[in-house]
Amino acid sequence: MLIDPRTAEKATVETITRLEWWNDKLLTFTTTRPANYSFAAGQYARIGLQDAHGIIWRAYSMTSAPSQEFLEFYGILVPNGLFTTQLKELKPGGELLIEKQSYGFMTPDRFTDGDELWMLATGTGVGPFISMLRDTYVWQKFRRLILVHCVRQENEFSYQDELENLRRHPPAPGGAQLLVVRSATRETQTTNSPSHLNGRITTLLENGELEKAAGLTLSVESSRVMMCGNPDMIEDMRKLLHQRGMRPVRRALPGQFVTENYW
C-alpha cells in the first residue's frame, strides 16, 4: 500500500493475519501490531482502508490484550457501508492502516475502588470487554466480574467458548470470579439457564431480572459499571444509575460508572 508522507507520519501499514466469521455479518480480524504500539484494555484504534477516493477511517476497539503481539478487532458489516464493504473483501495478507496513537478513556483504572465490575454491552460493544477479560489486571483489581451482553438474536453471541473457559479457569488464580449474562431482544433464547434472559438491559434492570441473574445488587458502595454500545441504552442506563445515587467518573472526581458510545 502506497501512502503519502503526511499519512505515514501518523499511521503504519499493517497486515491482516486472520479473519473469523461468527455469522454472515459479524467478524473478528487480526493484524500485525505496529512497532512500539501501546494501549490499555478498553481503548480503541483508528483503522484506515484506502479506496479510489482516499482513505476511510473508522474506530475499532481492540479485543486483544495489551500484552499480546498482535491486534485483534471485532466488528459488524454495515449494509452499503464505505468501510465495511471494503473490509468484507479483504483476506489474510491484505493491508490496512493503523494510527500510531490509541484512544479512549473507558479503562478499568478509572475506578479507584469497588468490589465488582459490571460490563454492560450491546452488540459489538462487547469488544473492549473481551480485551479487559484477556488482561490479568482487571481480574486482580475486582472480586467479581459481571459481563452482560445484549443482542437481537442468539447467533450474534460471540466469544462464548472463550468466555466459558475464562469463567472456569480465571487467568489470575485467587482473583475475581466471572459471570456472563446474555440477553436477546428479538427471539426467545432456547438455553435453559438463569443467566440467559430476554429483553433490553435497561428493562432487565428495572424489573429486577438482571440483578437476580447475577445474584448481586447494583449499589453505590460496591458496584462499578462500564457501558459500551447503543447510545440509547447508555443514556437510559445513565438515568437509572443516577436514580440509585451513582455518578459518572470525572477526571478529578471518583464515580461509579464510565461509558463508551459505539456509533
Side-chain angles (χ1 to χ4, degrees):
M1 179 186 296
L2 296 176
I3 56 176
D4 63 58
R6 288 178 300 176
T7 300
E9 288 181 2
K10 69 173 185 176
T12 60
V13 178
E14 302 301 326
T15 303
I16 293 178
T17 56
R18 184 178 68 89
L19 292 103
E20 178 180 357
W21 290 89
W22 301 97
N23 56 31
D24 60 343
K25 295 181 180 179
L26 293 168
L27 78 157
T28 291
F29 59 99
T30 302
T31 75
T32 53
R33 182 168 177 165
N36 303 316
Y37 189 82
S38 177
F39 73 94
Q43 290 191 302
Y44 63 90
R46 279 176 50 82
I47 301 176
L49 287 175
Q50 200 164 33
D51 67 5
H53 305 288
I55 299 173
I56 306 165
W57 296 96
R58 294 292 184 271
Y60 276 78
S61 290
M62 273 71 69
T63 54
S64 47
S67 60
Q68 292 178 302
E69 296 180 354
F70 55 84
L71 296 181
E72 183 184 283
F73 305 93
Y74 177 55
I76 186 169
L77 296 184
V78 179
N80 303 314
L82 293 177
F83 186 91
T84 57
T85 297
Q86 289 198 83
L87 182 63
K88 182 179 180 181
E89 302 304 319
L90 291 178
K91 301 291 188 294
E95 293 180 330
L96 44 68
L97 292 165
I98 296 181
E99 283 197 2
K100 298 175 182 179
Q101 179 181 346
S102 55
Y103 300 88
F105 299 98
M106 194 185 72
T107 55
D109 61 3
R110 297 288 304 281
F111 297 113
T112 58
D113 57 4
D115 290 331
E116 66 223 20
L117 177 64
W118 293 71
M119 298 167 280
L120 312 182
T122 57
T124 55
V126 74
F129 299 135
I130 298 298
S131 178
M132 293 180 200
L133 293 173
R134 288 172 168 175
D135 187 14
T136 57
Y137 173 80
V138 75
W139 296 83
Q140 295 166 336
K141 183 174 176 63
F142 296 95
R143 294 176 55 195
R144 288 177 291 271
L145 303 170
I146 306 96
L147 174 64
V148 182
H149 189 198
C150 183
V151 299
R152 295 178 180 180
Q153 299 176 321
E154 280 193 56
N155 69 353
E156 296 172 28
F157 290 122
S158 305
Y159 295 96
Q160 292 192 67
D161 291 343
E162 181 176 354
L163 290 169
E164 177 61 17
N165 186 59
L166 287 169
R167 187 188 69 82
R168 292 176 178 270
H169 308 286
Q177 295 179 319
L178 172 65
L179 172 68
V180 180
V181 179
R182 297 183 175 91
S183 183
T185 61
R186 294 196 178 180
E187 62 183 8
T188 301
Q189 292 199 64
T190 57
T191 305
N192 184 21
S193 168
S195 62
H196 284 67
L197 307 175
N198 295 101
R200 300 179 185 278
I201 293 175
T202 48
T203 301
L204 298 173
L205 180 59
E206 288 182 292
N207 65 21
E209 289 189 37
L210 181 59
E211 290 166 303
K212 180 180 178 181
L216 296 166
T217 300
L218 272 166
S219 69
V220 173
E221 294 75 22
S222 60
S223 304
R224 300 298 173 260
V225 185
M226 289 182 158
M227 297 172 277
C228 187
N230 186 319
D232 291 336
M233 179 275 288
I234 291 175
E235 183 58 30
D236 291 343
M237 275 299 305
R238 279 177 174 271
K239 296 175 183 177
L240 294 174
L241 295 179
H242 277 298
Q243 291 171 11
R244 295 183 178 222
M246 304 176 82
R247 295 293 181 266
V249 173
R250 301 300 186 195
R251 182 165 296 181
L253 184 65
Q256 292 80 41
F257 65 84
V258 294
T259 67
E260 185 86 85
N261 286 355
Y262 230 57
W263 61 76

